[in-house]
Amino acid sequence: MGRPAIAARARQAWGIAGAGTSVTSPPRSRSLLRDHPVLRRWPFAVFAAQAVALVVLGILHQPWFDEAQAWLLARDSSPWDLFAHHLRHEGSPGLWHLMLMGPAKLGMPYRTISVISGLGALAGTALLLWKSPFPLLVRVLYPFSYFALYQYGVIARSYALVAPLLFWAAIAHRDRLRRPGWFTVALILLANVALHGFIVAIAWEALLLASLRGAWPQLDALERRRQKIWIAAFAANAVVEIAELWPPADLIGGGQWDLSPHHAITMAWGLVTNLPVAPLSILAVAVTLYWLWLRRSLLIYLLPTLGLLVLFDIRYFSPWHSGMLLLVFLAAVWVAREQARPPRRSIPAGLTPAVSAAMVVVLAGLCGWSAAAMARDADEPYSGAPAAAAFIQQHALQGQVAVVGKWAIGLLPYFSGVIFTDYNDGHGPAFYPWSTHEPIPSTGSVLADSPHWLLLSVKSQSRMAVRCPVGYHRVAVFPGALDWAGGTWESEAFVLLERDNQDPLGPGRGDTVCAVI
């Protein structure tokens, strides 16, 4: 191995401190550094450590409504019904549901969803560890950061697939003009993971088309033909996906269209205040934007980021969606570091290490969030659904419990079908339809039927007192609260009530506080 290669290995090993510097140590020292087992095997150790963390956190985690909804859609829908009817109510493409369909329909345990999600997180980590141009510290910290490990790993949602597919696209980006196939396949799959992935894929495909305008004369006939085929494939997928997700007239939920300046300011402030070490994170982004501009890669970050911010502003945003901005940030820096074109001007000697340092600062803060989330999951349930389902199974209450509130859908993956007397009349598909054709009667209608057992589902972003309806008393409370950065975002709890022996319309013991959640 020649001296330039050894120098590159050393700079990579020592991360940001050595980036952009020359290595002048004696050959023997370079050989020792190169052959040191830690430097040769550390990616395997990091990968194994994340796998262990995913297993431990996966055991501690209690799946919630979003995870249950995807599993039930996969279990209780045919492929045709899923893509032709149900996804437009979900507002999400179907690749994740398609992956769940096999194990769900084969009757595999519900927690299989956590295994699939964990494998997605590990795939993203593997690409970053072995294929990315990032320095050592970035590659060590990323697998344990809050989104890579917890929000898009332990919590099993389609977002687990975004990192591996976006990183795949970053790897294929350099050869996208000569070999468009791998790049386009990655974008098509990314577009079918989540609406956020669709926006990123559209942005990167638009930048590819812009690049082709200048490169077209240099492409030979075969390369032009390949480009046309893959552009047509991407366009066809985009048309199908838009048709698949176009909101129906009976849609409920999924946020509201809000174009007011006040909403935009509130959303932006929420993003800023939820950054890890906010002042340093803002500085990190500013430094990186300048560096991306010098590297002729600013639009790779800016275009998809603006698209995501528009979605967050006018339609729907939850704090965990901000992880999409982080993944785009990492992918843009990835592409820029492998950019073959010369920079706009000479890059200051300390700027590239500063960008690496900025990434380290952000990821280190997110690792702190992961540690807080792990400690919280060890002490408090994420959702009360698993405990409530276990109680119903233990006491053989299937088919005897009426439910108030759609969040109780979180219990149904633990059963082979609908167990609530008033949900879809006790039969039919178990997933929630997000439609005006509400499968759960109103609270008044449920109480008018005077069921013996009543399950209240409670969702709130602040502590609230739950009152027992007149004629009912509390049997059990199943607490749960969704995590954000190691703290509570909102509750997902359940209260099981039993009808009093006396006339439920009489004075009874109702109208009292039966739980504080």
Side-chain angles (χ1 to χ4, degrees):
M1 181 179 291
R3 291 191 178 184
I6 296 174
R9 287 284 297 273
R11 287 196 300 270
Q12 184 183 47
W14 292 110
I16 61 171
T21 64
S22 62
V23 176
T24 58
S25 54
R28 185 171 176 229
S29 299
R30 290 199 301 267
S31 178
L32 289 173
L33 184 64
R34 179 192 67 194
D35 295 332
H36 197 286
V38 173
L39 294 182
R40 286 190 286 111
R41 298 173 185 172
W42 71 264
F44 295 97
V46 172
F47 184 83
Q50 192 198 31
V52 170
L54 285 167
V55 170
V56 172
L57 284 169
I59 293 172
L60 294 174
H61 176 65
Q62 295 82 23
W64 68 298
F65 176 90
D66 276 14
E67 296 166 89
Q69 174 75 352
W71 183 265
L72 295 172
L73 267 168
R75 189 189 73 183
D76 296 351
S77 300
S78 68
W80 170 255
D81 286 338
L82 177 68
F83 285 91
H85 303 294
H86 300 317
L87 291 179
R88 66 183 68 251
H89 289 90
E90 287 295 301
S92 175
L95 181 60
W96 176 245
H97 307 84
L98 204 59
M99 292 177 64
L100 299 179
M101 193 166 282
K105 288 188 178 297
L106 289 173
M108 296 179 70
Y110 173 35
R111 294 308 293 261
T112 306
I113 192 174
S114 298
V115 176
I116 297 172
S117 177
L119 291 174
L122 286 171
T125 291
L127 290 177
L128 185 129
L129 285 175
W130 281 283
K131 294 294 184 180
S132 79
F134 297 131
L136 183 145
L137 280 178
V138 171
R139 287 189 282 166
V140 168
L141 291 174
Y142 169 81
F144 308 103
S145 59
Y146 185 66
F147 295 102
L149 176 65
Y150 191 78
Q151 280 291 344
Y152 300 164
V154 174
I155 301 175
R157 290 176 293 203
S158 62
Y159 307 139
L161 304 178
V162 172
L165 293 173
L166 186 55
F167 294 167
W168 173 7
I171 293 169
H173 186 274
R174 184 166 184 171
D175 293 328
R176 70 198 184 285
L177 298 180
R178 300 291 179 184
R179 299 177 181 176
W182 281 112
F183 182 68
T184 307
V185 169
L187 292 187
I188 288 175
L189 291 175
L190 178 63
N192 281 278
V193 167
L195 186 56
H196 312 83
F198 182 67
I199 290 172
V200 175
I202 289 288
W204 278 24
E205 181 70 11
L207 293 174
L208 169 63
L209 296 178
S211 298
L212 281 173
R213 288 189 60 188
W216 198 257
Q218 285 75 47
L219 301 180
D220 59 35
L222 179 59
E223 290 169 337
R224 292 181 181 184
R225 183 165 174 258
R226 286 175 182 165
Q227 288 289 354
K228 290 177 182 178
I229 291 172
W230 287 109
I231 290 170
F234 185 90
N237 176 78
V239 170
V240 170
E241 195 165 330
I242 290 171
E244 173 185 292
L245 299 181
W246 195 261
D250 63 345
L251 176 66
I252 60 171
Q256 302 294 326
W257 296 102
D258 193 337
L259 304 177
S260 67
H262 177 266
H263 184 265
I265 294 171
T266 302
M267 187 273 297
W269 180 249
L271 278 173
V272 170
T273 54
N274 278 294
L275 289 170
V277 197
L280 290 178
S281 293
I282 294 170
L283 180 62
V285 172
V287 169
T288 305
L289 287 176
Y290 177 60
W291 180 82
L292 287 170
W293 178 78
L294 290 177
R295 297 290 300 167
R296 302 178 185 271
S297 301
L298 182 59
L299 287 179
I300 294 171
Y301 170 72
L302 213 53
L303 198 59
T305 297
L306 290 175
L308 290 172
L309 290 176
V310 169
L311 173 67
F312 297 162
D313 178 36
I314 68 174
R315 188 60 182 170
Y316 185 71
F317 173 73
S318 287
W320 42 83
H321 294 146
S322 58
M324 297 296 163
L325 301 176
L326 172 70
L327 293 178
V328 171
F329 176 83
L330 290 173
V333 175
W334 185 326
V335 169
R337 289 180 74 105
E338 296 186 332
Q339 180 66 264
R341 292 187 299 170
R344 296 179 185 274
R345 62 180 68 162
S346 178
I347 297 178
L351 186 57
T352 298
V355 170
S356 296
M359 297 172 69
V360 168
V361 167
V362 173
L363 291 174
L366 291 173
C367 286
W369 286 12
S370 288
M374 182 181 293
R376 188 183 173 282
D377 264 11
D379 292 335
E380 303 176 38
Y382 194 88
S383 170
F391 186 95
I392 289 174
Q393 287 176 326
Q394 181 182 355
H395 295 85
L397 298 180
Q398 298 95 315
Q400 302 178 52
V401 180
V403 65
V404 172
K406 58 180 173 287
W407 312 113
I409 301 306
L411 282 69
L412 296 183
Y414 299 97
F415 304 91
S416 59
V418 175
I419 63 164
F420 303 125
T421 58
D422 57 339
Y423 185 82
N424 274 337
D425 296 324
H427 60 273
F431 57 83
Y432 188 73
W434 295 110
S435 165
T436 53
H437 305 291
E438 176 65 60
I440 302 177
S442 66
T443 303
S445 298
V446 174
L447 293 177
D449 291 336
S450 190
H452 185 82
W453 298 96
L454 183 63
L455 184 69
L456 306 180
S457 61
V458 183
K459 197 85 153 174
S460 175
Q461 291 186 0
S462 59
R463 289 183 65 83
M464 63 176 293
V466 179
R467 291 189 170 274
C468 291
V470 173
Y472 285 86
H473 62 276
R474 184 187 75 188
V475 174
V477 178
F478 310 99
L482 277 58
D483 179 273
W484 172 246
T488 296
W489 172 248
E490 63 183 3
S491 62
E492 185 171 285
F494 303 90
V495 182
L496 182 64
L497 309 177
E498 185 180 18
R499 191 180 65 213
D500 295 336
N501 292 328
Q502 56 190 301
D503 180 2
L505 298 181
R509 288 179 288 167
D511 200 27
T512 60
V513 174
C514 54
V516 177
I517 296 173

